[in-house]
Amino acid sequence: MTDLLDKAVAAVRRMSAAEQDTIAQAMLSLAQIAEPLDVEPEHRAAVTAGLEQADRGAFVEGEANEIIAAAFARVRDAP
C-alpha cells in the first residue's frame, strides 16, 4: 500500500460507520469491484463538475474527512 493510500485509510477510520461505508462503496466502484454508484438526477451536475475538476487536477486542499463531511453537508442541505 502506498503512503498516500495509508493516509486516506487512516482518515476514513476516523469517520462514522456510515461515512466509512460510503467511502468503501466509492472505492470499490472505482476499482470496478462493485456496481457503479447510482447518482440521483439532482446531484448529477455536481458530480460532473467534480469529475471535470479531477480531470484538470483542481483538488481542494485540507483534511480529507473535513472536505468529505462538508461535501455531504452541502448535498444534505441543498434545497
Side-chain angles (χ1 to χ4, degrees):
M1 189 176 301
T2 68
D3 288 341
L4 183 59
L5 186 54
D6 279 334
K7 289 178 184 179
V9 169
V12 172
R13 283 190 176 122
R14 293 188 296 269
M15 295 177 177
S16 71
E19 290 171 318
Q20 288 181 15
D21 284 347
T22 299
I23 297 297
Q25 181 62 46
M27 290 174 66
L28 291 171
S29 181
L30 288 170
Q32 298 179 345
I33 294 172
E35 292 296 316
L37 295 173
D38 287 331
V39 177
E40 299 295 328
E42 62 269 18
H43 300 148
R44 285 196 179 125
V47 170
T48 301
L51 292 172
E52 290 169 356
Q53 288 175 341
D55 287 342
R56 291 192 313 271
F59 297 104
V60 177
E61 293 187 20
E63 292 294 322
N65 58 332
E66 293 171 2
I67 294 166
I68 293 167
F72 279 113
R74 280 193 305 276
V75 170
R76 180 194 64 221
D77 297 339

